[in-house]
Amino acid sequence: MGTKRLTVSDYQYLIDRGWRRSGTYCYKPMNKVTCCPCYTIRCDAAKFRPSRSHKRLLKAVALFLTTGVMPKLFGRSGNQWRAESLSEVPNHTNPATLGARGDIPNTEYAGSQEADSWTSATSARFDCSQTTSPEVDTFSTFVVPAGDVQDTSKRSSTVPKLTKAHTRRWNARLARMKARALNENRPFELLLKEYEERRRRRLAKNAPKELEYFLAQEPNKGQGKHHIEIRLVRSSPSSNEFNSTLDTSYQLYKKYQVTVHGDKPDECTMGCFTRFLVKSPLVSDDAGDSPNTSSVPSMGSYHQQYWLDGVRLIAVGVIDILPRCLSSVYLYYDPDYSFLHLGTYSALRELGFVRDLIRTHGLTSVTPHPLYVHFDSYYMGYYIRSCPKMSYKAQFHPSYLACPETYIWVPVKSCLQRLDSAPGGKYARFSDESATDVHAISEPLDPVDLDRKIVCRISSNDRRRRRERLPPEPEDDKRFGVPVTLDFLRRHITPEGLQIFREWAKLLGRRALDGNFQIKFKPFQVVKNGPTIF
């Protein structure tokens, strides 16, 4: 559906129900019938922890910026990088690693080892579980081919019972501390407390590092051979900085589309670029909220530009800042710098930007800002399991998928398990059967009653207003027309058109009946791409 004007709160409501925007056009896939179901995915930015591949990428980018040398990581092929990334997705099996060496699962031996009562009493709080497993014939373990099932019905009485490695090491450590306590004539409890303190400091030193730690490793201007400067410019309404870089940004978009997606150069026009990535229907909920009234970024549409050494534009991320999230719309980059894996790198940078907004203006900050009290997530668009370019988004933990029927957020791991058990592995309901869509039009409405609640806007002149007995047109709404109900316009719309409007209202949910979404109706005009709302 085309949109003329859409508040950021209403668009937040839409994307939480599976909608997305492309320019001023909003759309929602029909997941039950499409070959590639699209599920809205979001990442909890405050709890995000970079994976091993993310850390490796950020370190490699920092090394390139510091020395100008391409690291070994970037010498690998894209398929190798993708295979490593997919191996970190929960419950995702990498086919390239199955049976590569004919390996079989390692058999873990466990047993029991008696310790003296004094050691057991003093180490009760540190004692590891003594889980045991049945004895396994060690000879058969090494001769069974990969993929075969071991026959454990025959047991060997000569196989010794061994304690788990970590339990053996802990018991040995306790024995050494016991001997040391006797030799030094010191209380064993004191030695145990000292060991616990040393272990606590060691664990604190080796604690997982946050995203900001790796981003801070990149050199600033003058500290290395290169540096990346990130600029946030308002695209709609366009700022002076955006207008001054519009042609440079367009040329980068054209180069990206031709090289990466194979578009024809004459198809990548400035008009296409503007309609696709510049125009936006988003407006602020508060008329006083504008980019010039505060140093805090206002809600709306932006371009996040990545400048190498401050002179060369290498990537642009199109984003929307909404009341509860930062929504990633599109990314285009310079193919000459594809070795930097700018898709994943820009996603990590946008996550860092979200975390910075939460830290400085969020609810838990020192001076919370009213615009960001509910801001906590990073929306990555759609997750498509069958598409490697879209399925990589599940690497960002913790992530959640919106159930396509109830729009309840469910952890990715649980969603993938349901997709595995679904026919074809493509479409599934993620939430429980008892869950319901709280924003659905649940009450049974007669079509006529539904038409009376759907609000339309119709342009009019004085003659038509008198003939149709329309209400007076407000001064501030002249460009949008007079508000009337769909029931008032029934005689101007075909039965098929009425059915389209009713289905549209059901997709939007309750807000379609509250007047938040209104149809701009033009009599005698055939509706081809759905209604136009604002």
Side-chain angles (χ1 to χ4, degrees), residues 301-341:
S301 301
Y302 292 85
H303 280 197
Q304 200 167 34
Q305 301 175 344
Y306 297 78
W307 293 84
L308 185 64
D309 300 328
V311 295
R312 179 160 186 172
L313 184 63
I314 62 173
V316 176
V318 183
I319 61 175
D320 292 330
I321 300 181
L322 304 176
R324 292 200 298 271
C325 72
L326 183 146
S327 175
S328 178
V329 179
Y330 197 71
L331 173 81
Y332 53 98
Y333 58 85
D334 191 340
D336 296 339
Y337 291 87
S338 59
F339 61 86
L340 291 176
H341 296 276

Side-chain angles (χ1 to χ4, degrees), residues 95 143 147 247 295 307 309 388 466 481-482:
V143 299
D247 186 67
S295 59
W307 293 84
D309 300 328
R466 289 193 300 269
V482 179

Side-chain angles (χ1 to χ4, degrees), residues 385-398:
R385 195 183 192 191
S386 58
C387 178
K389 292 184 178 180
M390 304 293 281
S391 61
Y392 80 95
K393 300 174 183 179
Q395 299 176 42
F396 297 82
H397 308 304

Side-chain angles (χ1 to χ4, degrees), residues 220-496:
N220 296 323
K221 184 177 181 180
Q223 296 179 348
K225 190 166 185 179
H226 301 289
H227 73 278
I228 290 182
E229 180 182 339
I230 302 178
R231 304 174 188 172
L232 184 69
V233 296
R234 187 70 181 255
S235 59
S236 180
S238 58
S239 62
N240 294 332
E241 186 175 6
F242 175 81
N243 292 331
S244 63
T245 59
L246 178 60
D247 186 67
T248 304
S249 184
Y250 162 66
Q251 295 299 333
L252 178 63
Y253 162 79
K254 184 176 181 179
K255 182 179 181 180
Y256 170 80
Q257 292 295 129
V258 172
T259 305
V260 177
H261 293 287
D263 293 352
K264 297 180 180 179
D266 54 354
E267 295 177 349
C268 304
T269 62
M270 175 64 81
C272 178
F273 169 70
T274 304
R275 287 192 304 270
F276 180 33
L277 298 175
V278 177
K279 288 186 177 180
S280 172
L282 300 185
V283 296
S284 175
D285 296 319
D286 184 5
D289 173 32
S290 64
N292 300 324
T293 59
S294 174
S295 59
V296 180
S298 59
M299 302 292 166
S301 301
Y302 292 85
H303 280 197
Q304 200 167 34
Q305 301 175 344
Y306 297 78
W307 293 84
L308 185 64
D309 300 328
V311 295
R312 179 160 186 172
L313 184 63
I314 62 173
V316 176
V318 183
I319 61 175
D320 292 330
I321 300 181
L322 304 176
R324 292 200 298 271
C325 72
L326 183 146
S327 175
S328 178
V329 179
Y330 197 71
L331 173 81
Y332 53 98
Y333 58 85
D334 191 340
D336 296 339
Y337 291 87
S338 59
F339 61 86
L340 291 176
H341 296 276
L342 292 171
T344 303
Y345 176 75
S346 64
L348 293 171
R349 273 293 182 179
E350 289 171 358
L351 264 167
F353 180 49
V354 173
R355 290 166 62 92
D356 183 64
L357 289 176
I358 296 174
R359 185 168 51 253
T360 55
H361 307 300
L363 185 61
T364 58
S365 63
V366 179
T367 56
H369 194 279
L371 292 177
Y372 291 93
V373 291
H374 303 295
F375 189 84
D376 61 357
S377 299
Y378 173 56
Y379 283 45
M380 297 175 281
Y382 286 132
Y383 169 83
I384 304 176
R385 195 183 192 191
S386 58
C387 178
K389 292 184 178 180
M390 304 293 281
S391 61
Y392 80 95
K393 300 174 183 179
Q395 299 176 42
F396 297 82
H397 308 304
S399 292
Y400 304 84
L401 297 182
C403 176
E405 298 180 10
T406 62
Y407 308 106
I408 296 175
W409 295 104
V410 182
V412 167
K413 185 176 181 179
S414 301
C415 297
L416 295 182
Q417 292 174 352
R418 289 182 178 265
L419 287 174
D420 289 336
S421 59
K426 292 184 177 181
Y427 178 83
R429 174 191 171 107
F430 301 145
S431 57
D432 298 333
E433 294 298 331
S434 59
T436 59
D437 179 11
V438 296
H439 294 289
I441 303 177
S442 56
E443 62 271 13
L445 290 177
D446 182 83
V448 177
D449 294 335
L450 183 61
D451 295 344
R452 290 172 180 171
K453 294 188 176 184
I454 300 177
V455 180
C456 303
R457 292 273 182 164
I458 183 170
S459 58
S460 65
N461 51 35
D462 293 338
R463 178 185 299 178
R464 182 176 182 182
R465 189 160 50 245
R466 289 193 300 269
R467 184 177 69 250
E468 301 287 350
R469 297 181 180 178
L470 296 173
E473 189 172 10
E475 288 295 330
D476 57 344
D477 284 349
K478 282 189 175 181
R479 58 178 178 152
F480 298 118
V482 179
V484 295
T485 62
L486 184 60
D487 180 63
F488 183 84
L489 301 173
R490 288 173 62 90
R491 62 180 178 273
H492 298 294
I493 307 175
T494 62
E496 293 78 9

Side-chain angles (χ1 to χ4, degrees), residues 151-169:
D151 183 10
T152 57
S153 58
K154 297 181 180 180
R155 306 294 182 185
S156 173
S157 59
T158 60
V159 177
K161 293 183 178 180
L162 301 178
T163 310
K164 289 183 178 180
H166 60 271
T167 306
R168 295 200 309 271
R169 290 195 298 269

